[in-house]
Amino acid sequence: MNKQIILVAALFGLLAVILGAFGAHGLEGKVSDYQIGTWKTANQYHFYHTLAMLFLSTFSRAKTPSIRVAFIAFITGIVFFSGSLYLLSTRELLGIENVGILGPITPLGGLFFIIGWIALFWAAIKHKS
């Protein structure tokens, strides 16, 4: 699982850099300052949890279920939380009018982040040093 976690984290890290650059350079003057702020929030949490996934790879040799839960929760959190904020930030540019479903998805993504951190905490408690 170590290789899988690193590969996924590398992909998510690559996407975070690309999306961060796009937000800094491609959205300026096209969306409001508020929407750019929302984009930045999405990108920060995207990065934080990508780095958290890399940290998970240090535990992966233990192959505990808690690490797998944290890994999946962080991926889901990034997709739901950051993904929904990326879409909300650019909805006018993308021509997305019906964004009602994105409202509940954002906090659901936050809940997955919380689950991931709890699972990591549990894995650390159970880890034999």
Side-chain angles (χ1 to χ4, degrees):
M1 184 157 70
N2 187 17
K3 184 176 180 179
Q4 179 188 25
I5 292 173
I6 293 170
L7 288 171
V8 171
L11 176 63
F12 273 74
L14 171 67
L15 290 172
V17 171
I18 291 169
L19 291 170
F22 176 72
H25 304 290
L27 293 179
E28 190 174 2
K30 294 182 176 104
V31 298
S32 71
D33 288 342
Y34 178 80
Q35 289 166 309
I36 288 177
T38 300
W39 185 277
K40 286 180 180 179
T41 298
N43 197 243
Q44 286 175 334
Y45 278 81
H46 186 158
F47 265 116
Y48 297 154
H49 291 88
T50 296
L51 294 173
M53 277 194 280
L54 282 175
F55 182 74
L56 290 178
S57 71
T58 66
F59 280 84
S60 66
R61 288 186 193 97
K63 298 202 187 235
T64 64
S66 299
I67 292 299
R68 186 79 180 153
V69 167
F71 178 55
I72 291 167
F74 287 153
I75 290 170
T76 306
I78 290 170
V79 171
F80 284 14
F81 182 86
S82 295
S84 65
L85 290 180
Y86 288 137
L87 288 173
L88 285 168
S89 300
T90 57
R91 66 181 176 257
E92 287 99 17
L93 290 175
L94 297 172
I96 302 171
E97 294 180 22
N98 187 9
V99 293
I101 192 164
L102 294 178
I105 289 177
T106 306
L108 188 58
L111 179 61
F112 276 101
F113 285 152
I114 292 167
I115 290 167
W117 288 109
I118 291 169
L120 176 56
F121 181 83
W122 186 252
I125 288 174
K126 293 293 192 178
H127 185 71
K128 296 174 183 154
S129 4

